[in-house]
Amino acid sequence: MQESELHDLSDDADYAASQQQGSLYVTRSDSMSKNSSSGVPAGEEIVFAKDNVTIHPTQYASERISGRLKLIKQGSSLFMTWIPYKGQSSNDKLSERDRNLYTIRAIPFTDVRSIRRHTPTLGWQYIIVVLSSGLAFPPLYFYNGGVREFLATIKQHIFLVRSAEDANVFLVNDFQDPLQKTLSSLELPRALSVTDGPSTSTPVSSSQSPSIGNHEPADGISIDGGLITSQYSGRRKQKVQDPARDLSIQVLEKFSLVTKFARETTSQLFRENHGNGFGANERRYHNQSVLDLSPNSVSNEPIKPDLVPVASDPLEFDKLSLVWGKPRQRPLGDEEWATFFDSEGRIMDSKALRKRIFYGGVQHRLRKEVWTFLLGYHAYDSTYAEREYLKSVKKSEYETIKHQWRSISLEQAKRFTKFRERKGLIEKDVVRTDRSLSFYDGDDNPNVNLLHDILLTYSFYNFDLGYCQGMSDLLSPILYVIRDESEAFWCFVALMERLGPNFNRDQNGMHSQLFALSKLVELLDGPLHNYFKQNECLNYFFCFRWVLIQFKREFEYEKIMLLWEVLWSHYLSEHLHLYVCVAILKRYRHKIMGEQMDFDTLLKFINELSGHIDLDATLRDAEALCICAGENGAACIPPGTPPSLPIDGRFLHPQEDDVL
């Protein structure tokens, strides 16, 4: 289930334990021994500390990470740290690598733009700390209260003011810039939301940016192994702030599904801001030379690509794929497919099968059967008889769920706002989904009606998540391959077990993937990562559409089916799609850096790559990058990042975790 704004605490073991343990609020301490793990230099003073402040990496209660939140004063500067506990029951499964990944070490409030407070009627209060770069930390849940004291303590030491547009947003060091106030009054993110309808939660104002987990903030902060550490040296330089850019990022994030509109929106927002400079002299990546993009080097005159030097690729990318990227094989055929089964229908070596599919894909006539295994609808060790029995049981279950919405009368629908909103969105989307295919072409096409029915049934099956734009893109190839309403539904359910977090209202699933992508680029191409940093592109929102719907609109239909079955094989990594993103970016790095693309130009360029990417070469490159990155690459990806499965990938089996 998707995490919602309301939390039922009655069966939550972590919450009960936190009630027994109590909380800590410290107003002043000069003890250096208590601060040895915070990463703060000598001479600091703890002005606030709170126990049982928790991060929720996934929706599962057993995977929450509890820790202590501190505010630390050093001279005239205020820092925030959050350190996860060691030896607590809820953190027992947390490895040292994961502990470091989520640790927040000494972030100065000079790098903080705003703090958003959430106070649900039931459940825990939580905050989201948004950095000056527009990125943010994961939500911090206060299991024992204390948000009011936290904000009051901050206000004692720095300038903190409540936003005029949103009472739950507190601006840090905000001096009422007229341009920012004008942009805030537009409330574009709320007006341009593509979620499934009005929410009862507080609308997002322009002073709030979407969170991307522990992302790279402004100058003086580096990411080391996935955590944010301070390189604060006592003196900070002034960073040029562009509110229009921050606002446009939010707009483009919401509309990245609509290529043309995103380009027009970007153009409009930046029309009067082309002359703005960027932050100067960002730190260099491991002493490698990169482009000098200081304000003095930025000119309003067009830059000729052949006059701009481009930092070399540290991995010699063309040679890399030749060494590690194996040639693609022929697709898996009928005879070879039959060899994987024993006499009762069990797949004897699932790893060998997944490896075979990873390197060659599947012949189209076999996809109807193979995809049910790849997606987890059928278990690899199930027999012929067990699969037939499961089909009949799940068909009956599907019809029961479908009957729930089909039995709603017109009078009921008038009083069921959420149903009307979701039904309306689905009806609009299905008539625009893959209509160029003969399978979905024409008026009154029964397959379009099946798309509609499956999506509406899914919104009742997973009522918390409901329906969001982009889901029809994910369902379309599944229905095209499976050709059975009930089986297509359950295969889609299995896929959404992996990709559902992409559509969560808080977008944590997308944020964690974009954060991991930024870390992989930093690992595999430092100069390119540094270029994105200097051009304020570290949010990687230009890759939003790629990740959200798994490259659905970047390749031809046959190619996307091949790509998906390669990704679903999970042979080298569950997160191969992120290496595919890196591979594409590296293939075009010379053009991106040589032509000095800023965010809006880069977004336009990325969107126009649709239909022009060589899939076979990209898969070879992604494989080579994944092998080259090895354990360091895996360490860049936070636990629970989609499409990781909750337990063992078999969504049909009972779940042991408590979910919210």
Side-chain angles (χ1 to χ4, degrees):
M1 292 175 60
Q2 175 184 328
E3 182 177 22
S4 64
E5 196 68 25
L6 301 180
H7 304 280
D8 179 9
L9 312 181
S10 59
D11 60 350
D12 194 300
D14 285 343
Y15 182 79
S18 70
Q19 292 293 340
Q20 295 175 1
Q21 186 171 352
S23 63
L24 169 69
Y25 175 63
V26 182
T27 58
R28 182 180 180 88
S29 172
D30 295 315
S31 172
M32 296 304 302
S33 62
K34 295 181 180 179
N35 307 324
S36 60
S37 64
S38 65
V40 179
E44 78 281 359
E45 170 190 352
I46 299 177
V47 295
F48 175 91
K50 192 72 177 179
D51 277 325
N52 296 314
V53 177
T54 303
I55 287 177
H56 297 178
T58 71
Q59 67 267 44
Y60 292 94
S62 63
E63 298 179 6
R64 297 174 189 149
I65 305 173
S66 298
R68 175 176 293 178
L69 179 69
K70 292 181 182 179
L71 295 175
I72 302 173
K73 187 76 179 295
Q74 184 189 26
S76 60
S77 301
L78 187 67
F79 297 82
M80 183 187 80
T81 70
W82 179 83
I83 309 296
Y85 296 134
K86 291 185 178 180
Q88 191 187 46
S89 59
S90 61
N91 291 1
D92 282 345
K93 298 180 180 179
L94 190 64
S95 66
E96 191 63 29
R97 187 197 75 184
D98 295 341
R99 185 186 309 279
N100 290 334
L101 184 67
Y102 286 104
T103 298
I104 301 173
R105 301 184 188 273
I107 178 74
F109 273 83
T110 51
D111 284 342
V112 176
R113 179 201 301 167
S114 65
I115 301 170
R116 181 172 181 82
R117 176 185 64 185
H118 292 258
T119 54
T121 306
L122 297 174
W124 312 291
Q125 296 183 2
Y126 64 95
I127 61 169
I128 297 177
V129 178
V130 182
L131 301 174
S132 302
S133 60
L135 310 176
F137 293 108
L140 296 168
Y141 291 82
F142 286 65
Y143 278 11
N144 303 122
V147 173
R148 184 186 298 273
E149 293 89 344
F150 175 75
L151 295 172
T153 305
I154 294 174
K155 193 170 184 178
Q156 292 174 9
H157 299 280
I158 63 174
F159 185 72
L160 186 71
V161 61
R162 191 188 299 267
S163 169
E165 286 76 28
D166 190 334
N168 287 311
V169 173
F170 296 84
L171 306 177
V172 178
N173 297 322
D174 180 81
F175 299 101
Q176 301 299 317
D177 177 72
L179 177 58
Q180 179 65 61
K181 290 182 66 177
T182 301
L183 291 169
S184 298
S185 67
L186 296 176
E187 298 181 335
L188 283 179
R190 176 173 61 183
L192 302 182
S193 174
V194 297
T195 54
D196 56 14
S199 170
T200 56
S201 60
T202 306
V204 179
S205 73
S206 60
S207 60
Q208 176 197 7
S209 290
S211 62
I212 310 291
N214 294 350
H215 241 303
E216 180 106 11
D219 309 338
I221 302 296
S222 65
I223 301 180
D224 182 12
L227 56 134
I228 296 185
T229 58
S230 175
Q231 295 179 340
Y232 184 75
S233 59
R235 178 183 179 185
R236 305 198 57 79
K237 64 182 179 179
Q238 188 69 26
K239 183 174 178 66
V240 177
Q241 184 76 11
D242 185 357
R245 179 176 297 276
D246 297 333
L247 179 60
S248 70
I249 287 172
Q250 299 175 60
V251 176
L252 293 171
E253 175 194 18
K254 298 295 184 182
F255 274 91
S256 56
L257 295 178
V258 189
T259 303
K260 182 175 183 294
F261 188 87
R263 293 203 305 267
E264 294 173 351
T265 303
T266 308
S267 176
Q268 179 181 358
L269 288 173
F270 283 91
R271 187 172 295 120
E272 298 180 359
N273 291 280
H274 285 289
N276 290 352
F278 303 109
N281 299 325
E282 305 281 359
R283 82 177 188 284
R284 305 199 182 277
Y285 178 86
H286 297 306
N287 298 323
Q288 292 179 355
S289 61
V290 294
L291 297 176
D292 180 11
L293 294 181
S294 62
N296 294 333
S297 67
V298 177
S299 170
N300 290 328
E301 296 295 324
I303 301 178
K304 297 181 180 180
D306 58 343
L307 297 181
V308 180
V310 175
S312 61
D313 189 333
L315 292 180
E316 296 186 75
F317 191 52
D318 290 329
K319 297 179 181 179
L320 184 69
S321 62
L322 293 176
V323 174
W324 276 312
K326 297 180 181 179
R328 304 299 300 166
Q329 301 176 12
R330 69 187 188 284
L332 176 69
D334 295 273
E335 293 184 5
E336 188 178 3
W337 169 241
T339 64
F340 284 97
F341 292 93
D342 66 12
S343 59
E344 294 185 329
R346 299 181 186 89
I347 292 179
M348 296 177 290
D349 190 344
S350 62
K351 184 176 181 180
L353 173 63
R354 292 186 291 108
K355 179 180 180 180
R356 179 65 180 85
I357 293 171
F358 176 86
Y359 284 110
V362 180
Q363 288 183 358
H364 184 70
R365 63 177 176 271
L366 282 179
R367 283 181 172 139
K368 175 180 172 61
E369 187 176 359
V370 176
W371 280 22
T372 61
F373 290 96
L374 292 178
L375 286 168
Y377 173 56
H378 290 314
Y380 287 108
D381 59 357
S382 62
T383 65
Y384 294 126
E386 289 170 342
R387 292 196 289 273
E388 287 301 317
Y389 175 73
L390 181 67
K391 287 180 183 179
S392 63
V393 171
K394 303 308 286 186
K395 181 176 179 63
S396 176
E397 186 177 347
Y398 172 74
E399 293 298 334
T400 300
I401 303 170
K402 183 176 179 180
H403 180 71
Q404 293 175 1
W405 63 263
R406 296 193 69 176
S407 63
I408 295 176
S409 66
L410 291 177
E411 289 300 315
Q412 286 178 296
K414 290 179 182 178
R415 297 166 178 82
F416 198 167
T417 303
K418 184 63 69 176
F419 170 70
R420 296 197 312 271
E421 290 171 349
R422 291 177 174 177
K423 187 173 185 291
L425 279 174
I426 292 170
E427 289 173 348
K428 291 178 181 178
D429 284 353
V430 295
V431 297
R432 299 179 295 189
T433 302
D434 296 328
R435 296 307 293 274
S436 60
L437 291 176
S438 59
F439 186 74
Y440 294 113
D441 189 23
D443 297 332
D444 299 322
N445 187 312
N447 297 317
V448 175
N449 295 334
L450 287 180
L451 273 180
H452 169 276
D453 290 357
I454 293 173
L455 291 170
L456 194 51
T457 304
Y458 180 78
S459 74
F460 273 71
Y461 172 82
N462 189 347
F463 200 81
D464 285 338
L465 183 58
Y467 174 79
C468 302
Q469 286 183 322
M471 290 184 181
S472 61
D473 280 285
L474 296 177
L475 173 61
S476 171
I478 293 176
L479 180 60
Y480 176 78
V481 166
I482 301 298
R483 306 289 175 111
D484 177 87
E485 182 177 359
S486 172
E487 286 193 63
F489 171 81
W490 290 113
C491 285
F492 179 68
V493 167
L495 179 63
M496 293 304 292
E497 287 292 305
R498 297 170 172 174
L499 300 183
N502 285 7
F503 301 94
N504 283 355
R505 189 175 298 277
D506 62 9
Q507 296 186 337
N508 274 342
M510 289 298 300
H511 295 161
S512 63
Q513 290 173 88
L514 294 178
F515 165 64
L517 176 58
S518 73
K519 296 300 297 172
L520 288 174
V521 174
E522 184 177 23
L523 174 70
L524 295 166
D525 195 337
L528 181 61
H529 172 84
N530 215 22
Y531 175 84
F532 287 150
K533 177 183 177 181
Q534 292 176 336
N535 285 272
E536 300 183 4
C537 297
L538 274 185
N539 46 52
Y540 284 80
F541 284 160
F542 47 86
C543 298
F544 192 93
R545 187 177 72 184
W546 291 356
V547 175
L548 181 72
I549 53 176
Q550 302 284 279
F551 305 95
K552 169 64 163 49
R553 301 189 184 180
E554 316 313 318
F555 297 97
E556 298 174 355
Y557 213 73
E558 176 62 33
K559 294 292 185 181
I560 201 61
M561 290 188 288
L562 170 60
L563 173 60
W564 281 7
E565 57 204 18
V566 170
L567 297 180
W568 296 344
S569 72
H570 290 179
Y571 172 62
L572 286 181
S573 169
E574 284 188 323
H575 303 95
L576 186 71
H577 69 296
L578 298 179
Y579 291 96
V580 171
C581 293
V582 178
I584 298 172
L585 292 175
K586 286 176 69 65
R587 277 295 172 190
Y588 293 96
R589 69 188 302 276
H590 192 277
K591 184 175 181 66
I592 292 170
M593 299 169 69
E595 296 185 9
Q596 298 284 276
M597 295 184 184
D598 59 6
F599 180 83
D600 53 329
T601 307
L602 181 58
L603 177 71
K604 181 176 184 292
F605 171 72
I606 292 296
N607 284 339
E608 290 178 347
L609 286 179
S610 177
H612 300 285
I613 303 172
D614 185 331
L615 178 59
D616 286 347
T618 299
L619 287 175
R620 290 185 63 187
D621 295 344
E623 177 195 359
L625 289 168
C626 186
I627 295 174
C628 179
E631 293 183 356
N632 292 328
C636 292
I637 304 172
T641 297
S644 294
L645 292 172
I647 301 178
D648 62 358
R650 298 175 188 175
F651 78 101
L652 297 173
H653 298 276
Q655 302 289 334
E656 298 176 358
D657 293 275
D658 295 327
V659 295
L660 295 175

